[in-house]
Amino acid sequence: MRRLNILSHKSFSIRLSLWIVAFVALLFVANVVIMFYFAHQAIKEEALARAEKTVDAAILSIDNLLSSTETAVNNVHWSVEHHTNQPDALAAYCQEFLQSNPTIEGCAIAFLDGREMVYYYRKNKQIVKGDHFGTDPLAQQEWVERPVKEGHAVWTDPLVDETVYPHPIISYSVPLREKGRIIGVIAADISLVWLSNKIEHNMILPNSSFALMSKNGSFIIHPDSTMLKPGSVDRTLKETPNEQLKQLAQSMIAGESGYIYADFYGYPSYIFYKPYKNTKWSIDYVYYEGQIFAGYYYLQFLMMLIGIVGLIVLFFCCFLLIERIIRPLRELDGAVQQLTAGNYDEPIPTSHRSDEIGHLQRAFHSMQLSLSNYLHEIKQQQLVLSEHNKALQVAHDHAQEANRIKSTFLQNMTDQMVKPSETISCIVETIQQKHQQLNKDDITQMTKKLDDNSKAITSMLTRILEISEKKKEE
Protein backbone atom coordinates (compact mmCIF):
# COMPACT_ATOMS: atom_id res chain seq x y z
CA MET A 1 0.00 0.00 0.00
CA ARG A 2 2.84 2.35 0.88
CA ARG A 3 4.60 1.45 -2.36
CA LEU A 4 1.42 2.17 -4.32
CA ASN A 5 1.09 5.51 -2.53
CA ILE A 6 4.68 6.43 -3.46
CA LEU A 7 4.15 5.34 -7.07
CA SER A 8 0.89 7.31 -7.29
CA HIS A 9 2.73 10.47 -6.24
CA LYS A 10 5.49 9.88 -8.76
CA SER A 11 3.42 8.59 -11.68
CA PHE A 12 0.75 10.77 -13.25
CA SER A 13 -0.71 7.79 -15.15
CA ILE A 14 -1.19 5.75 -11.94
CA ARG A 15 -2.72 8.71 -10.13
CA LEU A 16 -5.12 9.49 -12.99
CA SER A 17 -6.02 5.80 -13.34
CA LEU A 18 -6.78 5.58 -9.63
CA TRP A 19 -9.02 8.65 -9.85
CA ILE A 20 -10.92 7.17 -12.79
CA VAL A 21 -11.29 3.81 -11.05
CA ALA A 22 -12.40 5.52 -7.83
CA PHE A 23 -15.05 7.51 -9.68
CA VAL A 24 -16.30 4.46 -11.58
CA ALA A 25 -16.25 2.43 -8.36
CA LEU A 26 -18.36 5.09 -6.64
CA LEU A 27 -20.92 4.99 -9.44
CA PHE A 28 -20.84 1.19 -9.45
CA VAL A 29 -21.34 0.92 -5.70
CA ALA A 30 -24.16 3.47 -5.75
CA ASN A 31 -25.85 1.64 -8.61
CA VAL A 32 -25.39 -1.77 -6.98
CA VAL A 33 -26.65 -0.53 -3.60
CA ILE A 34 -29.80 0.93 -5.17
CA MET A 35 -30.35 -2.14 -7.34
CA PHE A 36 -29.84 -4.59 -4.49
CA TYR A 37 -32.02 -2.55 -2.15
CA PHE A 38 -35.00 -2.83 -4.49
CA ALA A 39 -34.08 -6.41 -5.37
CA HIS A 40 -33.99 -7.24 -1.66
CA GLN A 41 -37.43 -5.71 -1.19
CA ALA A 42 -38.83 -7.58 -4.22
CA ILE A 43 -37.30 -10.88 -3.11
CA LYS A 44 -38.59 -10.36 0.41
CA GLU A 45 -42.13 -9.66 -0.82
CA GLU A 46 -41.98 -12.67 -3.12
CA ALA A 47 -40.63 -14.84 -0.31
CA LEU A 48 -43.35 -13.71 2.07
CA ALA A 49 -46.00 -14.47 -0.51
CA ARG A 50 -44.38 -17.85 -1.17
CA ALA A 51 -44.28 -18.59 2.54
CA GLU A 52 -47.98 -17.78 2.83
CA LYS A 53 -48.65 -20.18 -0.01
CA THR A 54 -46.44 -22.77 1.70
CA VAL A 55 -48.44 -22.48 4.89
CA ASP A 56 -51.67 -22.84 2.92
CA ALA A 57 -50.18 -25.83 1.09
CA ALA A 58 -49.17 -27.34 4.42
CA ILE A 59 -52.70 -26.85 5.72
CA LEU A 60 -54.04 -28.52 2.59
CA SER A 61 -51.56 -31.38 2.98
CA ILE A 62 -52.58 -31.83 6.64
CA ASP A 63 -56.20 -31.71 5.57
CA ASN A 64 -55.61 -34.45 3.03
CA LEU A 65 -53.81 -36.66 5.54
CA LEU A 66 -56.29 -36.11 8.34
CA SER A 67 -59.29 -36.25 6.01
CA SER A 68 -58.30 -39.74 4.90
CA THR A 69 -58.41 -40.82 8.55
CA GLU A 70 -61.69 -39.00 9.13
CA THR A 71 -63.22 -40.61 6.04
CA ALA A 72 -62.07 -44.06 7.10
CA VAL A 73 -63.55 -43.62 10.61
CA ASN A 74 -66.78 -42.19 9.27
CA ASN A 75 -67.11 -45.14 6.89
CA VAL A 76 -66.95 -47.66 9.72
CA HIS A 77 -68.85 -45.49 12.20
CA TRP A 78 -72.32 -46.48 10.95
CA SER A 79 -71.54 -50.18 11.16
CA VAL A 80 -70.16 -49.85 14.69
CA GLU A 81 -73.20 -47.90 15.90
CA HIS A 82 -75.46 -50.69 14.70
CA HIS A 83 -73.46 -53.46 16.40
CA THR A 84 -72.56 -51.90 19.74
CA ASN A 85 -73.93 -54.94 21.57
CA GLN A 86 -71.85 -57.43 19.59
CA PRO A 87 -68.25 -57.52 20.92
CA ASP A 88 -67.04 -60.00 18.34
CA ALA A 89 -68.38 -57.88 15.49
CA LEU A 90 -66.73 -54.78 16.97
CA ALA A 91 -63.42 -56.61 17.24
CA ALA A 92 -63.72 -57.70 13.62
CA TYR A 93 -64.54 -54.17 12.53
CA CYS A 94 -61.44 -52.82 14.33
CA GLN A 95 -59.13 -55.43 12.79
CA GLU A 96 -60.57 -54.99 9.33
CA PHE A 97 -60.35 -51.21 9.74
CA LEU A 98 -56.59 -51.39 10.53
CA GLN A 99 -55.94 -53.81 7.69
CA SER A 100 -57.68 -51.49 5.23
CA ASN A 101 -55.86 -48.36 6.48
CA PRO A 102 -52.13 -49.05 6.94
CA THR A 103 -51.40 -45.44 7.94
CA ILE A 104 -53.58 -45.74 11.06
CA GLU A 105 -51.79 -47.05 14.13
CA GLY A 106 -54.75 -48.16 16.23
CA CYS A 107 -58.53 -48.34 16.59
CA ALA A 108 -60.42 -48.20 19.88
CA ILE A 109 -64.10 -48.43 20.82
CA ALA A 110 -64.98 -47.37 24.36
CA PHE A 111 -68.39 -47.31 26.11
CA LEU A 112 -69.54 -45.06 28.92
CA ASP A 113 -71.43 -47.83 30.73
CA GLY A 114 -68.27 -49.57 31.85
CA ARG A 115 -68.10 -52.29 29.25
CA GLU A 116 -64.70 -53.53 28.21
CA MET A 117 -62.91 -51.38 25.61
CA VAL A 118 -62.35 -52.93 22.22
CA TYR A 119 -58.83 -51.91 21.25
CA TYR A 120 -56.47 -53.07 18.49
CA TYR A 121 -53.16 -51.47 17.43
CA ARG A 122 -50.06 -52.19 15.38
CA LYS A 123 -46.98 -53.66 17.02
CA ASN A 124 -43.99 -54.96 15.08
CA LYS A 125 -46.05 -54.91 11.88
CA GLN A 126 -48.71 -57.07 13.52
CA ILE A 127 -52.22 -56.13 14.67
CA VAL A 128 -52.54 -56.99 18.33
CA LYS A 129 -55.31 -56.64 20.90
CA GLY A 130 -54.91 -54.13 23.71
CA ASP A 131 -56.76 -53.88 27.01
CA HIS A 132 -55.86 -50.37 28.10
CA PHE A 133 -54.51 -47.00 27.00
CA GLY A 134 -53.02 -44.60 29.50
CA THR A 135 -53.35 -44.73 33.29
CA ASP A 136 -56.41 -42.52 33.75
CA PRO A 137 -59.96 -43.92 33.73
CA LEU A 138 -61.38 -44.05 30.21
CA ALA A 139 -64.07 -41.47 30.91
CA GLN A 140 -61.35 -38.99 31.93
CA GLN A 141 -59.08 -39.53 28.97
CA GLU A 142 -59.26 -36.78 26.32
CA TRP A 143 -60.10 -39.05 23.40
CA VAL A 144 -63.25 -40.15 25.26
CA GLU A 145 -64.08 -37.09 27.33
CA ARG A 146 -63.95 -34.39 24.66
CA PRO A 147 -66.21 -35.91 21.96
CA VAL A 148 -68.73 -36.88 24.65
CA LYS A 149 -68.62 -33.43 26.17
CA GLU A 150 -68.67 -31.51 22.89
CA GLY A 151 -71.05 -33.85 21.12
CA HIS A 152 -69.13 -34.12 17.85
CA ALA A 153 -66.01 -35.63 16.34
CA VAL A 154 -62.73 -34.13 17.52
CA TRP A 155 -59.01 -34.46 17.00
CA THR A 156 -57.22 -34.84 20.31
CA ASP A 157 -54.01 -33.26 21.43
CA PRO A 158 -50.94 -35.52 21.48
CA LEU A 159 -51.34 -38.61 23.64
CA VAL A 160 -48.57 -40.73 25.07
CA ASP A 161 -48.59 -44.29 26.34
CA GLU A 162 -45.16 -45.80 25.87
CA THR A 163 -46.44 -49.23 26.87
CA VAL A 164 -48.52 -49.21 23.68
CA TYR A 165 -46.81 -46.84 21.24
CA PRO A 166 -43.12 -45.87 21.16
CA HIS A 167 -44.08 -42.40 19.98
CA PRO A 168 -46.87 -39.85 20.57
CA ILE A 169 -50.14 -40.14 18.70
CA ILE A 170 -53.26 -38.10 18.05
CA SER A 171 -56.72 -39.61 17.87
CA TYR A 172 -59.76 -38.84 15.79
CA SER A 173 -62.73 -39.60 18.09
CA VAL A 174 -66.34 -39.81 16.97
CA PRO A 175 -69.27 -40.19 19.40
CA LEU A 176 -71.37 -43.36 19.19
CA ARG A 177 -75.10 -42.81 19.67
CA GLU A 178 -78.01 -44.99 20.45
CA LYS A 179 -81.44 -43.45 20.15
CA GLY A 180 -79.81 -39.99 20.10
CA ARG A 181 -77.86 -40.58 23.29
CA ILE A 182 -74.06 -40.82 23.33
CA ILE A 183 -73.06 -44.22 24.63
CA GLY A 184 -69.42 -44.30 23.66
CA VAL A 185 -66.78 -43.28 21.11
CA ILE A 186 -64.79 -44.82 18.30
CA ALA A 187 -61.25 -43.48 17.82
CA ALA A 188 -58.50 -43.96 15.25
CA ASP A 189 -54.88 -43.23 16.19
CA ILE A 190 -52.20 -41.89 13.84
CA SER A 191 -48.52 -41.46 14.61
CA LEU A 192 -47.22 -37.93 14.98
CA VAL A 193 -43.83 -39.08 13.68
CA TRP A 194 -45.47 -40.41 10.54
CA LEU A 195 -47.54 -37.24 10.15
CA SER A 196 -44.49 -34.99 10.61
CA ASN A 197 -42.45 -36.97 8.09
CA LYS A 198 -45.24 -36.83 5.52
CA ILE A 199 -45.63 -33.07 5.92
CA GLU A 200 -41.88 -32.48 5.80
CA HIS A 201 -41.64 -34.62 2.66
CA ASN A 202 -44.32 -32.54 0.98
CA MET A 203 -42.76 -29.17 1.90
CA ILE A 204 -42.24 -26.80 -1.03
CA LEU A 205 -38.91 -25.45 0.12
CA PRO A 206 -35.94 -27.38 1.51
CA ASN A 207 -34.10 -26.29 4.63
CA SER A 208 -37.28 -24.92 6.15
CA SER A 209 -39.15 -25.93 9.26
CA PHE A 210 -42.82 -26.56 9.87
CA ALA A 211 -44.74 -27.26 13.06
CA LEU A 212 -48.32 -27.72 14.21
CA MET A 213 -49.00 -26.84 17.84
CA SER A 214 -51.98 -27.58 20.02
CA LYS A 215 -53.58 -25.13 22.41
CA ASN A 216 -52.10 -26.85 25.46
CA GLY A 217 -48.56 -26.24 24.22
CA SER A 218 -47.76 -29.57 22.59
CA PHE A 219 -46.38 -30.10 19.11
CA ILE A 220 -48.56 -32.21 16.87
CA ILE A 221 -46.14 -31.88 13.96
CA HIS A 222 -42.46 -31.06 14.37
CA PRO A 223 -39.31 -31.95 12.35
CA ASP A 224 -37.65 -33.12 15.60
CA SER A 225 -39.50 -36.20 16.80
CA THR A 226 -38.25 -35.66 20.38
CA MET A 227 -40.45 -32.55 20.50
CA LEU A 228 -43.65 -34.52 19.85
CA LYS A 229 -44.40 -34.99 23.52
CA PRO A 230 -47.00 -33.19 25.63
CA GLY A 231 -45.72 -29.98 27.22
CA SER A 232 -42.62 -29.79 24.98
CA VAL A 233 -43.38 -26.15 24.02
CA ASP A 234 -43.45 -25.00 27.63
CA ARG A 235 -40.22 -26.84 28.42
CA THR A 236 -38.46 -25.37 25.40
CA LEU A 237 -39.57 -21.81 26.17
CA LYS A 238 -38.37 -22.12 29.75
CA GLU A 239 -34.94 -23.15 28.50
CA THR A 240 -34.57 -20.34 25.94
CA PRO A 241 -34.08 -16.66 26.81
CA ASN A 242 -35.45 -15.60 23.42
CA GLU A 243 -38.40 -13.33 24.22
CA GLN A 244 -39.50 -13.26 20.58
CA LEU A 245 -40.07 -17.00 20.54
CA LYS A 246 -42.02 -16.76 23.79
CA GLN A 247 -44.19 -14.05 22.27
CA LEU A 248 -44.64 -16.21 19.16
CA ALA A 249 -45.85 -19.15 21.27
CA GLN A 250 -48.33 -16.95 23.12
CA SER A 251 -49.66 -15.56 19.80
CA MET A 252 -50.08 -19.07 18.38
CA ILE A 253 -51.87 -20.33 21.49
CA ALA A 254 -54.15 -17.29 21.28
CA GLY A 255 -55.08 -18.27 17.71
CA GLU A 256 -53.52 -15.19 16.06
CA SER A 257 -51.93 -15.07 12.59
CA GLY A 258 -49.02 -13.16 11.08
CA TYR A 259 -45.26 -13.43 10.96
CA ILE A 260 -42.22 -12.24 12.89
CA TYR A 261 -38.52 -11.84 12.14
CA ALA A 262 -36.55 -13.54 14.87
CA ASP A 263 -33.38 -15.41 15.72
CA PHE A 264 -34.44 -19.06 15.54
CA TYR A 265 -31.75 -21.04 17.34
CA GLY A 266 -28.93 -18.96 15.86
CA TYR A 267 -30.48 -18.52 12.40
CA PRO A 268 -32.22 -15.26 11.40
CA SER A 269 -35.62 -16.40 10.17
CA TYR A 270 -39.09 -15.33 9.18
CA ILE A 271 -41.66 -17.30 11.19
CA PHE A 272 -45.21 -17.41 9.83
CA TYR A 273 -48.11 -18.59 11.95
CA LYS A 274 -51.87 -18.91 11.63
CA PRO A 275 -54.65 -20.99 13.22
CA TYR A 276 -55.50 -24.34 11.67
CA LYS A 277 -59.09 -24.24 10.39
CA ASN A 278 -61.73 -24.58 13.13
CA THR A 279 -59.50 -26.42 15.57
CA LYS A 280 -57.54 -24.89 18.41
CA TRP A 281 -54.32 -25.84 16.74
CA SER A 282 -51.90 -23.34 15.22
CA ILE A 283 -49.42 -23.75 12.38
CA ASP A 284 -46.01 -22.11 12.24
CA TYR A 285 -43.62 -22.16 9.35
CA VAL A 286 -39.96 -21.18 9.82
CA TYR A 287 -38.47 -19.72 6.69
CA TYR A 288 -34.71 -19.24 7.12
CA GLU A 289 -33.47 -15.90 5.83
CA GLY A 290 -30.45 -17.58 4.26
CA GLN A 291 -32.82 -19.77 2.27
CA ILE A 292 -34.96 -16.84 1.20
CA PHE A 293 -32.05 -14.73 0.02
CA ALA A 294 -29.69 -17.52 -1.11
CA GLY A 295 -30.02 -16.49 -4.75
CA TYR A 296 -29.82 -12.84 -3.75
CA TYR A 297 -26.63 -13.39 -1.76
CA TYR A 298 -25.12 -15.41 -4.59
CA LEU A 299 -26.01 -12.67 -7.06
CA GLN A 300 -24.58 -10.11 -4.66
CA PHE A 301 -21.34 -12.06 -4.38
CA LEU A 302 -21.20 -12.53 -8.15
CA MET A 303 -21.83 -8.84 -8.80
CA MET A 304 -19.17 -7.81 -6.28
CA LEU A 305 -16.70 -10.26 -7.79
CA ILE A 306 -17.45 -9.02 -11.31
CA GLY A 307 -17.24 -5.42 -10.07
CA ILE A 308 -13.86 -5.93 -8.38
CA VAL A 309 -12.42 -7.81 -11.37
CA GLY A 310 -13.87 -5.16 -13.68
CA LEU A 311 -12.33 -2.34 -11.67
CA ILE A 312 -8.95 -4.06 -11.70
CA VAL A 313 -9.18 -4.57 -15.48
CA LEU A 314 -10.36 -0.98 -15.88
CA PHE A 315 -7.41 0.24 -13.82
CA PHE A 316 -4.87 -1.58 -15.98
CA CYS A 317 -6.62 -0.54 -19.21
CA CYS A 318 -6.69 3.10 -18.06
CA PHE A 319 -3.07 2.84 -16.93
CA LEU A 320 -1.91 1.43 -20.29
CA LEU A 321 -3.99 3.92 -22.29
CA ILE A 322 -2.89 6.92 -20.22
CA GLU A 323 0.70 5.65 -20.27
CA ARG A 324 0.54 5.54 -24.08
CA ILE A 325 -1.01 9.01 -24.24
CA ILE A 326 1.46 10.70 -21.90
CA ARG A 327 4.57 8.89 -23.18
CA PRO A 328 5.44 11.93 -25.38
CA LEU A 329 5.02 14.16 -22.32
CA ARG A 330 7.44 11.93 -20.40
CA GLU A 331 9.90 12.22 -23.30
CA LEU A 332 9.45 15.99 -23.24
CA ASP A 333 10.05 15.97 -19.50
CA GLY A 334 13.32 14.07 -20.02
CA ALA A 335 14.37 16.51 -22.74
CA VAL A 336 13.58 19.48 -20.49
CA GLN A 337 15.68 17.87 -17.77
CA GLN A 338 18.53 17.61 -20.31
CA LEU A 339 18.09 21.28 -21.23
CA THR A 340 18.09 22.20 -17.56
CA ALA A 341 21.33 20.27 -17.12
CA GLY A 342 22.88 22.28 -19.99
CA ASN A 343 22.67 19.63 -22.73
CA TYR A 344 21.20 21.99 -25.32
CA ASP A 345 22.26 19.86 -28.26
CA GLU A 346 20.31 16.80 -27.08
CA PRO A 347 17.62 16.36 -29.77
CA ILE A 348 13.92 16.36 -28.83
CA PRO A 349 11.99 13.78 -30.88
CA THR A 350 9.30 15.15 -33.11
CA SER A 351 5.78 13.73 -33.44
CA HIS A 352 3.31 13.01 -36.21
CA ARG A 353 0.32 13.25 -33.87
CA SER A 354 -2.27 15.90 -34.68
CA ASP A 355 -3.52 16.49 -31.15
CA GLU A 356 -2.38 19.00 -28.53
CA ILE A 357 0.41 16.74 -27.31
CA GLY A 358 1.75 16.46 -30.89
CA HIS A 359 1.64 20.25 -31.28
CA LEU A 360 3.44 20.66 -27.96
CA GLN A 361 6.10 18.13 -28.91
CA ARG A 362 6.76 19.82 -32.27
CA ALA A 363 6.86 23.23 -30.57
CA PHE A 364 9.45 21.94 -28.07
CA HIS A 365 11.42 20.42 -30.95
CA SER A 366 11.46 23.79 -32.81
CA MET A 367 12.33 25.61 -29.58
CA GLN A 368 15.23 23.22 -28.94
CA LEU A 369 16.58 23.72 -32.48
CA SER A 370 16.28 27.52 -32.23
CA LEU A 371 17.89 27.52 -28.80
CA SER A 372 20.71 25.24 -30.01
CA ASN A 373 21.39 27.49 -33.04
CA TYR A 374 21.26 30.61 -30.95
CA LEU A 375 23.69 29.17 -28.40
CA HIS A 376 25.99 28.07 -31.28
CA GLU A 377 26.05 31.63 -32.61
CA ILE A 378 26.78 32.96 -29.15
CA LYS A 379 29.67 30.52 -28.83
CA GLN A 380 31.08 31.70 -32.17
CA GLN A 381 30.80 35.31 -31.08
CA GLN A 382 32.45 34.40 -27.79
CA LEU A 383 35.36 32.86 -29.71
CA VAL A 384 35.76 36.04 -31.82
CA LEU A 385 35.55 38.23 -28.75
CA SER A 386 38.08 36.02 -27.02
CA GLU A 387 40.52 36.48 -29.93
CA HIS A 388 39.95 40.26 -29.86
CA ASN A 389 40.46 40.31 -26.14
CA LYS A 390 43.74 38.44 -26.53
CA ALA A 391 44.92 40.98 -29.17
CA LEU A 392 43.86 43.87 -27.00
CA GLN A 393 45.63 42.31 -24.07
CA VAL A 394 48.84 42.04 -26.14
CA ALA A 395 48.46 45.66 -27.28
CA HIS A 396 47.78 46.70 -23.74
CA ASP A 397 50.88 44.87 -22.58
CA HIS A 398 52.93 46.56 -25.33
CA ALA A 399 51.51 49.94 -24.34
CA GLN A 400 52.30 49.28 -20.74
CA GLU A 401 55.82 48.29 -21.69
CA ALA A 402 56.20 51.41 -23.84
CA ASN A 403 54.95 53.61 -21.06
CA ARG A 404 57.37 51.94 -18.69
CA ILE A 405 60.26 52.51 -21.12
CA LYS A 406 59.11 56.06 -21.73
CA SER A 407 58.88 56.73 -18.05
CA THR A 408 62.34 55.25 -17.55
CA PHE A 409 63.72 57.34 -20.41
CA LEU A 410 62.11 60.52 -19.14
CA GLN A 411 63.35 59.77 -15.67
CA ASN A 412 66.86 59.27 -17.06
CA MET A 413 66.71 62.42 -19.17
CA THR A 414 65.34 64.36 -16.26
CA ASP A 415 68.17 63.13 -14.12
CA GLN A 416 70.64 64.21 -16.82
CA MET A 417 69.03 67.65 -17.02
CA VAL A 418 69.28 68.21 -13.28
CA LYS A 419 73.03 68.97 -13.24
CA PRO A 420 73.01 71.53 -16.16
CA SER A 421 69.93 73.15 -14.64
CA GLU A 422 71.60 73.40 -11.26
CA THR A 423 74.78 74.82 -12.91
CA ILE A 424 72.75 77.44 -14.79
CA SER A 425 70.82 78.26 -11.64
CA CYS A 426 74.05 78.61 -9.65
CA ILE A 427 75.67 80.88 -12.34
CA VAL A 428 72.56 83.05 -12.55
CA GLU A 429 72.46 83.39 -8.77
CA THR A 430 76.23 84.31 -8.68
CA ILE A 431 75.78 86.93 -11.35
CA GLN A 432 72.84 88.40 -9.49
CA GLN A 433 74.70 88.60 -6.23
CA LYS A 434 78.24 89.43 -7.41
CA HIS A 435 77.92 91.10 -10.75
CA GLN A 436 79.80 94.21 -9.54
CA GLN A 437 82.77 92.26 -8.40
CA LEU A 438 82.98 90.09 -11.48
CA ASN A 439 85.53 91.01 -14.17
CA LYS A 440 85.21 90.44 -17.85
CA ASP A 441 86.94 87.11 -17.87
CA ASP A 442 84.73 85.79 -15.15
CA ILE A 443 81.64 86.91 -16.95
CA THR A 444 82.90 85.42 -20.21
CA GLN A 445 83.66 82.15 -18.49
CA MET A 446 80.25 82.08 -16.80
CA THR A 447 78.56 82.98 -20.10
CA LYS A 448 80.32 80.09 -21.77
CA LYS A 449 79.14 77.67 -19.00
CA LEU A 450 75.60 79.00 -19.35
CA ASP A 451 75.76 78.43 -23.07
CA ASP A 452 77.18 74.92 -22.72
CA ASN A 453 74.62 73.87 -20.13
CA SER A 454 71.79 75.48 -22.13
CA LYS A 455 72.88 73.57 -25.19
CA ALA A 456 72.99 70.35 -23.17
CA ILE A 457 69.45 70.93 -21.91
CA THR A 458 68.29 71.92 -25.40
CA SER A 459 69.84 68.82 -26.84
CA MET A 460 68.07 66.58 -24.33
CA LEU A 461 64.73 68.31 -24.94
CA THR A 462 65.20 67.94 -28.68
CA ARG A 463 65.85 64.26 -28.22
CA ILE A 464 62.73 63.93 -26.09
CA LEU A 465 60.68 65.69 -28.76
CA GLU A 466 62.10 63.43 -31.45
CA ILE A 467 61.18 60.33 -29.45
CA SER A 468 57.60 61.69 -28.86
CA GLU A 469 57.20 62.32 -32.58
CA LYS A 470 58.27 58.74 -33.32
CA LYS A 471 55.74 57.37 -30.79
CA LYS A 472 52.98 59.40 -32.39
CA GLU A 473 53.93 58.08 -35.82
CA GLU A 474 53.84 54.53 -34.46
Side-chain angles (χ1 to χ4, degrees), residues 144-301:
V144 176
E145 182 182 18
R146 278 189 57 197
V148 172
K149 183 178 180 180
E150 297 177 14
H152 58 78
V154 298
W155 280 97
T156 67
D157 289 338
L159 305 173
V160 176
D161 187 347
E162 295 182 355
T163 62
V164 179
Y165 299 116
H167 42 69
I169 63 167
I170 57 173
S171 297
Y172 179 67
S173 297
V174 182
L176 296 174
R177 289 179 170 84
E178 185 178 357
K179 297 179 181 180
R181 182 175 59 88
I182 297 177
I183 61 171
V185 296
I186 179 174
D189 306 329
I190 62 173
S191 168
L192 294 187
V193 174
W194 170 82
L195 184 61
S196 295
N197 291 336
K198 292 291 289 185
I199 296 298
E200 185 177 1
H201 179 73
N202 294 331
M203 292 301 293
I204 298 175
L205 294 175
N207 300 323
S208 56
S209 177
F210 178 81
L212 181 64
M213 188 177 71
S214 67
K215 186 175 179 60
N216 66 1
S218 299
F219 283 115
I220 300 171
I221 297 175
H222 197 281
D224 184 1
S225 60
T226 61
M227 300 294 291
L228 299 175
K229 294 182 179 181
S232 56
V233 176
D234 293 334
R235 290 193 299 271
T236 303
L237 293 179
K238 288 178 181 180
E239 296 172 358
T240 179
N242 194 325
E243 294 296 330
Q244 290 179 306
L245 294 183
K246 293 180 180 179
Q247 182 63 39
L248 171 65
Q250 294 175 1
S251 299
M252 292 178 65
I253 292 173
E256 299 175 359
S257 62
Y259 75 91
I260 63 170
Y261 179 77
D263 182 28
F264 189 72
Y265 297 103
Y267 296 95
S269 307
Y270 288 90
I271 305 176
F272 298 82
Y273 57 94
K274 66 188 305 183
Y276 174 66
K277 300 182 70 174
N278 296 324
T279 68
K280 295 181 180 180
W281 299 344
S282 185
I283 297 175
D284 75 79
Y285 177 62
V286 180
Y287 203 177
Y288 298 114
E289 185 181 35
Q291 179 68 26
I292 296 175
F293 298 107
Y296 169 81
Y297 292 143
Y298 175 75
L299 178 62
Q300 190 178 43
F301 168 77

Side-chain angles (χ1 to χ4, degrees), residues 358-376:
H359 294 321
L360 181 63
Q361 196 169 9
R362 286 191 292 273
F364 265 88
H365 178 75
S366 300
M367 181 191 72
Q368 186 269 335
L369 291 178
S370 299
L371 185 60
S372 178
N373 294 332
Y374 176 71
L375 292 176
H376 181 72

Side-chain angles (χ1 to χ4, degrees), residues 11-142:
S11 175
F12 173 75
S13 57
I14 292 180
R15 189 162 61 251
L16 184 58
S17 299
L18 288 175
W19 276 106
I20 293 175
V21 170
F23 179 73
V24 173
L26 182 63
L27 292 179
F28 174 77
V29 170
N31 183 51
V32 168
V33 167
I34 294 173
M35 181 185 71
F36 276 104
Y37 171 77
F38 288 104
H40 187 276
Q41 296 299 319
I43 292 174
K44 179 181 177 181
E45 292 176 1
E46 180 184 358
L48 297 181
R50 190 189 310 169
E52 290 284 352
K53 292 180 179 179
T54 302
V55 173
D56 292 338
I59 292 175
L60 181 60
S61 179
I62 294 172
D63 278 344
N64 292 335
L65 293 174
L66 297 185
S67 294
S68 63
T69 301
E70 293 174 359
T71 302
V73 173
N74 292 333
N75 288 339
V76 76
H77 176 265
W78 185 87
S79 299
V80 171
E81 278 191 331
H82 286 76
H83 299 85
T84 56
N85 295 320
Q86 302 176 20
D88 293 338
L90 295 179
Y93 284 136
C94 284
Q95 294 179 64
E96 184 181 353
F97 176 76
L98 292 177
Q99 291 173 356
S100 302
N101 299 279
T103 60
I104 297 176
E105 294 289 324
C107 177
I109 301 174
F111 297 96
L112 302 179
D113 57 6
R115 280 181 284 174
E116 182 182 0
M117 175 180 67
V118 179
Y119 184 32
Y120 286 87
Y121 64 95
R122 300 181 189 277
K123 185 176 182 179
N124 299 326
K125 299 182 180 180
Q126 300 293 326
I127 298 175
V128 298
K129 186 178 187 305
D131 57 3
H132 74 282
F133 183 86
T135 57
D136 296 331
L138 283 178
Q140 296 178 8
Q141 294 187 27
E142 182 186 2

